[in-house]
């Protein structure tokens, strides 16, 4: 069942009016669709965020425009102010509930892999799965059980069970999740005993040089005598 969200049509598109709408907690938005004229509206920011949080990004929203016309839409795109972290614009796409559409659905891993208990590393290359379905049949998420995965095992898109409500259009050979061996710790290089003093080159040779000099001096004294 679609979630109802109230919207007010915007006819004055001046920046000053748009700025005032945002200050009042509303999001300037556009509603459009195939063979449909775009409609500029404004929706409550908190209500929109709550709907997406509770129902998911692919939720079907019944947009009630000015308490009269109601259209079934999906949130197509939205913009957030990076400084204020607030919604500043949203695009709603009008959907035909009897026609299939292509969307991406979040992939959720369930369970603890056996390989992870042995030190393996769980890696998830695919976080969203491409599917085709009628709007009412789009799953909120696709759950993948990884509890039986051992080190070296993986689950591909082709391993997923088929559903009667939607068609998976993702490449069948795409890896969803795998368990890789633990990384080997590098061996520490062997170090010499810290108590061993380093060898000093030519230390002994210097002493010998001094002895030879003293010997030469003594010989010279004897010759003089």
């Amino acid at each position: 069942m679609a979630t109802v969200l109230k919207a007010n049509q915007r006819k004055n598109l001046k920046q000053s009016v748009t700025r005032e709408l945002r200050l009042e907690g509303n999001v300037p938005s556009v509603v459009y669709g195939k063979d449909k004229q775009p409609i500029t509206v404004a929706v409550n920011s908190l209500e929109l965020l709550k709907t997406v949080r509770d129902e998911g990004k692919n939720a079907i929203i019944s947009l009630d425009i000015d308490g009269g016309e109601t259209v079934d839409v999906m949130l197509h795109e939205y913009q957030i102010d990076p400084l204020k972290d607030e919604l500043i614009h949203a695009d709603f796409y009008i959907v035909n509930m009897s026609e299939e559409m292509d969307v991406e659905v979040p992939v959720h891993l369930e369970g603890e892999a056996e390989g992870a208990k042995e030190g393996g590393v769980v890696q998830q290359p695919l976080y969203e799965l491409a599917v085709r379905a009628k709007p009412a049949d789009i799953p909120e998420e696709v759950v993948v059980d990884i509890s039986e995965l051992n080190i070296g095992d993986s689950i591909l898109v082709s391993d997923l069970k088929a559903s009667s409500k939607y068609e998976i259009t993702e490449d069948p050979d795409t890896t969803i999740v795998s368990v890789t061996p633990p990384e080997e710790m590098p061996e520490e290089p062997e170090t010499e005993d810290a108590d061993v003093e380093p060898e000093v080159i030519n230390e002994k040779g210097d002493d010998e040089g001094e002895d030879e000099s003293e010997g030469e001096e003594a010989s010279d004294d004897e010759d003089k005598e």
Side-chain angles (χ1 to χ4, degrees):
M1 182 177 179
T3 301
V4 178
L5 184 65
K6 293 182 179 181
N8 296 317
Q9 190 167 0
R10 293 188 301 133
K11 295 183 180 180
N12 190 336
L13 304 182
K14 291 183 178 179
Q15 290 187 355
S16 58
V17 177
T18 301
R19 191 181 303 112
E20 186 66 25
L21 283 171
R22 293 194 179 105
L23 291 175
E24 294 173 352
N26 297 308
V27 182
S29 310
V30 176
V31 182
Y32 63 95
K34 183 179 179 181
D35 301 327
K36 302 287 185 181
Q37 287 292 329
I39 306 173
T40 53
V41 299
V43 299
N44 183 273
S45 176
L46 293 179
E47 290 296 326
L48 176 57
L49 289 173
K50 183 178 183 300
T51 299
V52 175
R53 183 181 66 247
D54 295 344
E55 306 296 333
K57 70 173 187 176
N58 292 323
I60 303 302
I61 301 173
S62 183
L63 205 61
D64 182 1
I65 302 175
D66 291 330
E69 181 184 6
T70 301
V71 291
D72 292 322
V73 301
M74 290 178 63
L75 179 62
H76 182 62
E77 290 182 345
Y78 59 90
Q79 297 176 6
I80 295 180
D81 186 327
L83 298 178
K84 298 180 180 179
D85 193 28
E86 295 177 352
L87 277 173
I88 58 175
H89 186 81
D91 287 348
F92 295 99
Y93 182 75
I94 300 174
V95 297
N96 186 332
M97 299 300 289
S98 62
E99 291 184 359
E100 292 182 333
M101 58 187 305
D102 294 320
V103 296
E104 292 187 339
V105 178
V107 176
H108 174 71
L109 302 184
E110 184 178 68
E112 182 181 3
E114 286 293 330
K117 300 176 183 178
E118 300 173 1
V121 180
V122 177
Q123 296 186 341
Q124 183 182 357
L126 188 69
Y127 285 89
E128 289 189 322
L129 184 72
V131 303
R132 179 176 297 136
K134 293 181 179 180
D137 294 332
I138 297 174
E140 183 177 341
E141 63 181 9
V142 173
V143 179
V144 178
D145 185 5
I146 65 171
S147 57
E148 296 184 2
L149 289 185
N150 294 302
I151 294 177
D153 291 345
S154 62
I155 296 177
L156 307 181
V157 170
S158 58
D159 296 323
L160 297 177
K161 294 181 180 180
S163 172
S164 59
K165 292 187 176 182
Y166 59 86
E167 174 190 357
I168 298 175
T169 58
E170 194 78 45
D171 184 348
D173 295 328
T174 302
T175 300
I176 298 175
V177 59
S178 62
V179 181
T180 59
E183 296 182 1
E184 296 183 0
M185 297 295 293
E187 295 183 0
E188 295 183 1
E190 295 183 0
T191 57
E192 297 181 355
D193 191 346
D195 295 335
V196 178
E197 295 184 0
E199 181 182 356
V200 179
I201 307 300
N202 293 332
E203 180 178 5
K204 187 174 182 180
D206 293 342
D207 293 340
E208 290 177 350
E210 292 178 359
D211 293 342
E212 290 176 359
S213 298
E214 291 177 356
E216 291 177 357
E217 292 177 358
S219 299
D220 291 342
D221 292 341
E222 290 177 357
D223 291 341
K224 289 179 182 179
E225 290 177 357

